Amino acid sequence: MKFEKRFFFGVIPEWKDKYLDYNGLCAQIKLIKKAALNLAKAYANIRAITGDEVNLEIQVDTMASDKIFWKILQENLEKIEEFYKKQLQQFTEQFHVLTLQVRL
């Protein structure tokens, strides 16, 4: 079973909006791959035109699609962390209430 199927198989419907935006991040990865491929093609074209061994350093981390990916990922992780904190607080409060009820 592919990761994507396993990922969506375990999704709790009520919490779906609290999960990682898997499809959005996958789309962003595709854009990064496309940008990297375009850079490689451009480099190959420069070499073909000049006939020289051109020394180009390409900073992949400066690509816009790369920056957008990391921003989306960070936002998703913060959203998930906030959700888990709220859930933990709710369950902790429920636990304390139940503990008090059992003692009575």
Side-chain angles (χ1 to χ4, degrees):
M1 183 183 289
K2 286 189 172 187
F3 175 78
E4 179 181 11
K5 288 183 181 180
R6 285 185 292 171
F7 180 79
F8 289 113
F9 179 76
V11 170
I12 297 171
E14 303 88 51
W15 296 348
K16 188 175 182 178
D17 61 327
K18 308 297 184 204
Y19 280 78
L20 186 78
D21 181 11
Y22 180 83
N23 291 330
L25 290 169
C26 283
Q28 204 58 42
I29 289 171
K30 287 179 183 177
L31 289 174
I32 292 169
K33 286 181 182 179
K34 184 178 178 182
L37 182 61
N38 288 340
L39 283 173
K41 286 178 181 177
Y43 178 71
N45 287 339
I46 290 170
R47 286 187 61 197
I49 291 169
T50 62
D52 294 332
E53 186 72 25
V54 180
N55 236 355
L56 294 178
E57 285 190 30
I58 300 171
Q59 296 291 330
V60 176
D61 63 328
T62 61
M63 292 190 312
S65 52
D66 184 59
K67 288 180 179 181
I68 293 169
F69 171 82
W70 290 110
K71 182 178 182 272
I72 293 171
L73 180 62
Q74 184 65 36
E75 290 170 354
N76 271 258
L77 293 175
E78 289 170 2
K79 172 185 73 174
I80 293 167
E81 181 181 22
E82 186 63 32
F83 173 71
Y84 277 111
K85 284 180 180 179
K86 286 180 182 177
Q87 289 296 311
L88 180 61
Q89 181 181 1
Q90 288 176 355
F91 291 136
T92 303
E93 289 171 4
Q94 288 176 346
F95 174 76
H96 288 303
V97 168
L98 292 171
T99 303
L100 289 173
Q101 289 175 357
V102 169
R103 288 182 184 169
L104 298 176

